[in-house]
Amino acid sequence: MGSLSLSQAQSALEACLAKADDIGSPSSVAVLDGGRELLAFARMDGALLASAAISQAKAYTSRSLGCDTRDVDALAQPGGALFGIHTAHLAVGRALITFGGGVLVTLDGEPVGAIGVAGGTPDQDHEIAAAGAAALAG
């Protein structure tokens, strides 16, 4: 299993913070390694207090499911094939978040980590997280 380095995580974090500032969305940003452990984190001034935990849960969900969190949203709605997934992981003490803001980080086609962002709308959060992933893809 590949994983992000601390240097890569910090680069992604900086790209996310710049994007959040650019679009005016005070946010919390979490960067997790390939094993779903926190490598880098920041909560911008003015970000919602809840955004710290939510950003980490979004990154955890993205890496756990191997996709961006927004890709799970429709499937997790009532009647969807994955309805109830948001509570499925609570037995191990971790929430799964099924709306936008968690982005899987891949390098050379291999998943190596994830970025989670919370503080704006799900679309804004996704845009910010995607900017961090793009900074690593070069």
Side-chain angles (χ1 to χ4, degrees), residues 4 7-20 29-31 103-107 114-117 124-138:
L4 292 174
S7 176
Q8 289 170 311
Q10 290 172 325
S11 294
L13 180 68
E14 289 301 320
C16 289
L17 295 173
K19 178 55 104 174
V29 179
V31 183
V103 171
L104 186 67
V105 177
T106 60
L107 296 176
I115 301 169
V117 176
Q124 288 172 319
D125 292 349
H126 179 85
E127 181 180 357
I128 295 164
L136 295 177

Side-chain angles (χ1 to χ4, degrees), residues 15-62:
C16 289
L17 295 173
K19 178 55 104 174
D21 190 53
D22 184 51
I23 67 172
S25 180
S27 301
S28 287
V29 179
V31 183
L32 273 58
D33 65 15
R36 303 178 300 187
E37 296 297 332
L38 186 64
L39 272 179
F41 174 81
R43 186 172 69 84
M44 298 172 70
D45 294 342
L48 298 170
L49 293 176
S51 67
I54 295 169
S55 66
Q56 292 177 57
K58 287 180 179 183
Y60 181 86
T61 301
S62 179

Side-chain angles (χ1 to χ4, degrees), residues 67-132:
C67 65
D68 295 349
T69 55
R70 73 177 185 176
D71 296 341
V72 182
D73 191 35
L75 296 170
Q77 298 304 311
L82 297 179
F83 179 63
I85 194 169
H86 62 284
T87 62
H89 222 59
L90 291 178
V92 295
R94 300 296 298 256
L96 296 179
I97 304 291
T98 60
F99 49 86
V103 171
L104 186 67
V105 177
T106 60
L107 296 176
D108 299 323
E110 180 180 359
V112 294
I115 301 169
V117 176
T121 67
D123 287 340
Q124 288 172 319
D125 292 349
H126 179 85
E127 181 180 357
I128 295 164

